[in-house]
Amino acid sequence: MLDIRPNLALPDSVLEWRVSRAGGPGGQHVNTTSTQVELRLSIDDCDMLSLRVRTRLKELGGSRVSNDGVLRIVCGSSRSQLANKDEAEQRLRALLLEALKPPPKPRRPTKPSRRAKAKRVDEKK
């Protein structure tokens, strides 16, 4: 169970964990242990999230979301599998909290005032 906020938690059934060998520094330790963690979440199967939140999550996920609607978070920065798992959970939690926020107001296009234009021209002289 992954707690997102007090009234929302994702059950383990919608989360899929995979581990693999990570590259990078670490010497022989890297070659023998599976420390890289991949967290997969099928956004379309999360019935506890509203349609608006699921759509926003797909937008925020960007290239981490596949065509099938699966969000993929990969962490391999630490030599510890547990630390990488915690980091993946934190990334998912932050992404979900951002998706739960109300959408930003659309920008209302405005033009600079005549005085602002004149001031800019005067500063250039």
Side-chain angles (χ1 to χ4, degrees):
M1 182 79 68
L2 178 64
D3 294 325
I4 306 302
R5 58 183 195 189
N7 60 350
L8 178 65
L10 293 178
D12 292 332
S13 60
V14 297
L15 301 174
E16 181 183 344
W17 294 95
R18 293 182 184 177
V19 292
S20 61
R21 292 183 180 164
Q28 294 176 348
H29 177 77
V30 172
N31 300 330
T32 59
T33 57
S34 297
T35 56
Q36 182 170 317
V37 174
E38 178 182 339
L39 172 59
R40 296 168 63 91
L41 169 70
S42 178
I43 297 173
D44 297 328
D45 294 340
C46 284
D47 297 331
M48 67 283 312
L49 301 175
S50 68
L51 182 61
R52 181 189 70 80
V53 172
R54 284 185 275 177
T55 306
R56 181 110 167 96
L57 189 59
K58 286 180 182 178
E59 290 172 5
L60 290 172
S63 63
R64 293 176 287 190
V65 179
S66 68
N67 293 335
D68 302 336
V70 177
L71 175 67
R72 183 175 169 256
I73 298 175
V74 179
C75 294
S77 58
S78 174
R79 288 180 59 180
S80 165
Q81 188 181 100
L82 184 60
N84 286 332
K85 183 178 179 186
D86 291 341
E87 185 180 343
E89 286 178 348
Q90 291 299 324
R91 288 184 193 177
L92 178 61
R93 187 176 289 116
L95 203 59
L96 280 167
L97 287 174
E98 187 65 30
L100 287 166
K101 289 180 183 176
K105 290 182 181 179
R107 182 187 171 279
R108 208 174 112 218
T110 58
K111 294 180 181 178
S113 65
R114 186 179 299 167
R115 181 177 167 93
K117 288 180 186 178
K119 183 179 176 183
R120 183 182 60 85
V121 171
D122 288 341
E123 287 176 357
K124 289 171 79 172
K125 289 181 183 176

